[in-house]
Amino acid sequence: MARRAEDFELDPVVVPISGDAPEGSMTDWLRSLVQDEAIDPGVSGADLVAEVRAER
């Protein structure tokens, strides 16, 4: 069931993450998404959804 944004207890915020990630890592990751080939799971999306729902 969907909830309205007003129903959430916390305000949405951006959390900065500091760490050892190289500077261009986000750009490199986005570039890799565009360059990756499509994946064919061999089954339809409807079959995948039905399988997930059956496991609940």
Side-chain angles (χ1 to χ4, degrees), residues 27-45:
T27 303
D28 294 340
W29 176 73
L30 289 172
R31 188 177 299 120
S32 75
L33 291 178
V34 174
Q35 294 173 349
D36 284 346
E37 295 183 15
I39 298 172
D40 181 13
V43 295
S44 71

Side-chain angles (χ1 to χ4, degrees), residues 9-28:
E9 297 172 7
L10 301 175
D11 292 332
V13 297
V14 175
V15 179
I17 299 173
S18 61
D20 298 333
E23 226 171 271
S25 62
M26 183 67 165
T27 303
D28 294 340

Side-chain angles (χ1 to χ4, degrees), residues 1-9:
M1 223 162 83
R3 296 190 326 181
R4 297 175 306 167
E6 298 84 25
D7 295 338
F8 288 97
E9 297 172 7

